[in-house]
Amino acid sequence: MPMRDMPAAAARPWRIDERTAFRAAVLIYLVTTAWGVLNDGFHSDDWRHVNGTSPLWTEIEGRWLLEVIFRDLFGERFLLPVQVTLAFPCFWWVARTVAAHAAPLASRPAATLAIFAVSVNHIYMADTLSFESNVFAYPFALALSVGAFELLWRVAGKGRGAQALAILAAGQLLAFSLAIYQTFAEAGLIIPVLALLRIDRVRFAAAVRIAAVGALATAIAVVLYFAEWHAYAALRGIEIAAQRFQTTDAAGFAEKISALPAVLRSLHTGTLMHVPRVLRVTLGLFALGALALLALGWLNHGKGARVLSAFRLAIGAGLAFFVFPILFWLGYETYWPPGRAFAYLGSWIPAVAIAGLTLASGPARWRRGLVAAGAAAIALVALVFALTASAFWSDSARLGARDADLARAIRAKLATLEGFEGPPFRLVGSVDYPDLSWGSLAGWSSFHAGNPNIGIFRALFGDTVETGVLPASPRACRAFPAEDSAYLHDGIAYLCLEDRRPFVEEMSCAPLSAGGAICLGPKVFAHVAPACLATERGGPEMRVAFHFEGRSFAPERSFTGGSDAVRMEDGCYTLALAPNPKGLKSITVRLAGPDGATLWDEDVNLAALRPPRKP
């Protein structure tokens, strides 16, 4: 494949060889990412995973290879020193591979170091690595995707048989990436993007070719992914109860298009999480700066074919910044995706900026100054990212310690409760740490409402039953550690984490034609009948869809084995966490069979709801 790199004198602001770059990367990794992971506190998912593999990974989320890695490779143990060590070559290889497409040969060590330093400390990546069970698996998923597209790139010009095999192999690599974390399969798309952007190095026909074969490999990957997921589930005797990423309909797609500018702004400024202002500004300016460098590069290298060059740069930048990152979000039913789903942007944005610097460089003094200033700016970004990532890891460690202290205090309180003989017990309400929250799961206390299984008690005290949290108390109570924060009801101990009224005083109900009633409160909903609702696994499941004004997508919640059944004077209330009721216009109750088919359904207008104990 024809390529020509500019002279080293025009493109190298700093003289860094590969050995120096590697040593610097190791140092950065040790003092920020590795130190952060090894000293991280557990969040709610960690406390569950420390007790074993999550049943959700294969059954609902379709991440069957994630389960294989954690259960079969690591023996359902975190083994953080091992995972941190294995993750490093994934990060380094991704940075080195991407740098080879973004920078000229002489500048690649410095480019590799820049991409590595930015990517490992990007706030979305820190959020990703806070899942202690998957510290290696997630970077491995990124490497699989980049490896797939790198393979397709390298077989250009080979025989048809070799190219066909490469497409199949790339499809399998992408299928494996999908089976770990779906959105990370997009990471390798930066290679066809850089092929478009490097107007100085890659012919347009070659850029079109890598896009075409990449699309074919992706299609093969999707087929392989679903086939392997179902085959693995059948082999393990796992019933795929639901597919988490249900496709959106036309109305939902239109709503997402209207929300797209806000989502993209949040995506590129870090506000999918709660981040410091300095980080928001740095992220936004970094993205804008990368685009500006591409424009300067076009002025420098687009003289012979300005229209085609402008087209390539516009398409490449548009795909990298505005299209590829939101493909999954556009396609499935959800509104605000988690920041960790876009952790690969930590390598994309610096790669685009470096490609722009490469195009803008030249022998003129002002161009050499521009390249030096651009390199210094990337170094400054890397420094800001390292500092904010360090703060993230520090807060995460403090949050984990607070949760552990609270768990011990709760057990000590329950030990003084007359009649309490041990688990199970139930927690009411939530605990928040706004001073430590970064707006993601990593910033949630384990004691958040709706958590069906606080694994912290199993890990610390060896409990053999699950403890859940719901913002619903059978009777009035004061927040822990108040004297009346703990009590017994129907033989079960309750402990309130916040002041609560009896949940029946906050609910309104409507009868169901199939029997019983459905009730709705500000934070929970309930099924009420003389007998408690059957929620055994493998049987029929009652589900409630919540319809909101101006939204076509109706989130659905279920009564499952994790739902609390509470006996009151007027019947048994089976409780589940409800979404925020703002804008709610109606609900639909349906009973789904074991195969997911609807056995019956009933629409309930909110005007039909009445207090449960009044005629």
Side-chain angles (χ1 to χ4, degrees):
M1 185 169 295
M3 55 183 68
R4 52 186 178 84
D5 288 328
M6 66 189 62
R12 289 182 68 181
W14 298 330
R15 295 185 178 276
I16 300 177
D17 59 24
E18 186 154 357
R19 177 177 295 182
T20 302
F22 180 79
R23 289 174 176 173
V26 170
L27 179 61
I28 291 170
Y29 187 73
L30 287 176
V31 301
T32 55
T33 308
W35 178 262
V37 170
L38 293 174
N39 292 278
D40 186 24
F42 290 175
H43 55 60
S44 57
D45 271 20
D46 294 331
W47 284 116
R48 286 192 289 270
H49 298 162
V50 77
N51 296 309
T53 302
S54 170
L56 302 180
W57 288 343
T58 296
E59 178 184 333
I60 292 178
E61 298 175 349
R63 296 167 184 165
W64 66 268
L65 188 54
L66 192 67
E67 177 176 315
V68 170
I69 292 171
F70 183 57
R71 188 194 60 242
D72 299 322
L73 181 60
F74 296 120
E76 296 187 307
R77 293 171 295 170
F78 286 176
L79 300 177
L80 289 178
V82 176
Q83 289 203 71
V84 166
T85 302
L86 292 175
F88 176 83
C90 296
F91 284 122
W92 176 256
W93 186 82
V94 167
R96 192 170 183 269
T97 302
V98 173
H101 292 268
L105 182 62
S107 296
R108 285 176 193 170
T112 300
L113 177 60
I115 294 171
F116 178 90
V118 171
S119 62
V120 297
N121 288 316
H122 194 286
I123 193 61
Y124 294 159
M125 181 57 70
D127 186 33
T128 300
L129 297 179
S130 69
F131 289 78
E132 308 283 1
S133 56
N134 307 318
V135 170
F136 162 68
Y138 288 150
F140 183 52
L142 299 176
L144 287 171
S145 178
V146 172
F149 283 90
E150 178 67 8
L151 175 62
L152 296 174
W153 178 262
R154 292 191 180 192
V155 298
K158 305 291 185 181
R160 291 184 178 179
Q163 293 198 47
L165 288 174
I167 291 173
L168 291 174
Q172 182 59 76
L173 292 175
L174 289 172
F176 283 153
S177 185
L178 285 166
I180 295 175
Y181 196 85
Q182 287 84 351
T183 60
F184 287 0
E186 294 189 61
L189 290 171
I190 191 61
I191 290 178
V193 164
L194 290 171
L196 282 169
L197 298 181
R198 287 298 301 274
I199 56 177
D200 63 321
R201 177 177 184 254
V202 180
R203 294 184 182 277
F204 184 57
V208 172
R209 176 208 163 268
I210 186 63
V213 296
L216 178 57
T218 301
I220 293 172
V222 172
V223 174
L224 289 173
Y225 162 67
F226 280 105
E228 291 164 355
W229 175 21
H230 285 76
Y232 175 81
L235 181 66
R236 287 283 180 180
I238 299 172
E239 181 181 353
I240 297 177
Q243 296 179 1
R244 180 170 184 170
F245 304 107
Q246 301 291 337
T247 55
T248 187
D249 57 17
F253 186 81
E255 291 170 9
K256 289 197 171 191
I257 292 297
S258 64
L260 187 58
V263 171
L264 287 171
R265 182 171 59 252
S266 294
L267 173 64
H268 290 297
T269 58
T271 51
L272 292 176
M273 298 172 60
H274 299 158
V275 299
R277 180 178 178 82
V278 65
L279 183 57
R280 294 200 304 269
V281 172
T282 301
L283 285 163
L285 291 178
F286 191 31
L288 291 174
L291 293 174
L293 287 171
L294 290 179
L296 290 173
W298 174 70
L299 293 175
N300 189 33
H301 274 278
K303 297 177 181 178
R306 282 194 177 276
V307 174
L308 179 59
S309 297
F311 173 78
R312 289 179 60 175
L313 292 175
I315 293 297
L319 290 173
F321 284 81
F322 310 118
V323 178
F324 285 156
I326 48 87
L327 284 178
F328 272 94
W329 174 77
L330 284 175
Y332 72 90
E333 290 184 333
T334 189
Y335 278 86
W336 288 96
R340 60 184 174 275
F342 309 101
Y344 54 83
L345 289 179
S347 60
W348 281 26
I349 307 301
V352 172
I354 290 168
L357 279 175
T358 301
L359 295 178
S361 60
R365 177 178 298 178
W366 73 271
R367 292 192 181 279
R368 294 200 302 271
L370 174 64
V371 172
I378 294 175
L380 179 60
V381 168
L383 176 61
V384 172
F385 284 12
L387 293 174
T388 51
S390 296
F392 171 89
W393 291 118
S394 174
D395 287 345
S396 183
R398 292 164 60 200
L399 185 148
R402 286 188 189 180
D403 271 358
D405 289 343
L406 178 58
R408 295 185 181 97
I410 287 172
R411 289 303 288 265
K413 176 69 174 179
L414 290 174
T416 66
L417 180 65
E418 184 177 354
F420 177 70
E421 298 179 353
F425 58 91
R426 293 172 179 172
L427 301 177
V428 177
S430 293
V431 171
D432 295 317
Y433 305 126
D435 58 319
L436 301 179
S437 176
W438 288 71
S440 68
L441 183 60
W444 288 6
S445 166
S446 292
F447 301 94
H448 65 265
N451 189 348
N453 174 17
I454 302 184
I456 190 171
F457 291 106
R458 179 172 294 183
L460 295 182
F461 303 101
D463 290 359
T464 58
V465 294
E466 296 178 350
T467 299
V469 186
L470 270 182
S473 174
R475 73 183 213 191
C477 60
R478 299 288 303 278
F480 176 78
E483 185 64 30
D484 58 348
S485 60
Y487 61 90
L488 291 176
H489 175 85
D490 194 31
I492 298 177
Y494 288 79
L495 186 138
C496 295
L497 300 172
E498 56 188 6
D499 294 348
R500 301 299 307 178
R501 296 166 54 197
F503 66 78
V504 293
E505 295 182 3
E506 301 177 315
M507 284 190 159
S508 297
C509 305
L512 295 172
S513 301
I518 192 74
C519 301
L520 183 65
K523 293 187 177 182
V524 295
F525 64 101
H527 176 268
V528 188
C532 298
L533 184 68
T535 58
E536 290 80 9
R537 190 177 182 85
E541 183 177 87
M542 186 173 289
R543 303 176 182 175
V544 180
F546 294 81
H547 305 277
F548 292 87
E549 296 286 352
R551 289 169 57 178
S552 62
F553 168 54
E556 195 173 63
R557 302 288 174 89
S558 303
F559 294 106
T560 67
S563 300
D564 286 347
V566 183
R567 297 185 183 277
M568 303 294 285
E569 294 178 3
D570 54 344
C572 182
Y573 286 72
T574 303
L575 299 162
L577 187 69
N580 189 321
K582 183 178 180 180
L584 183 67
K585 61 179 182 180
S586 66
I587 59 176
T588 299
V589 184
R590 73 183 182 100
L591 188 68
D595 60 352
T598 299
L599 303 179
W600 59 261
D601 61 9
E602 183 173 346
D603 293 330
V604 178
N605 192 296
L606 297 188
L609 298 176
R610 297 288 185 273
R613 294 182 175 175
K614 294 181 181 180

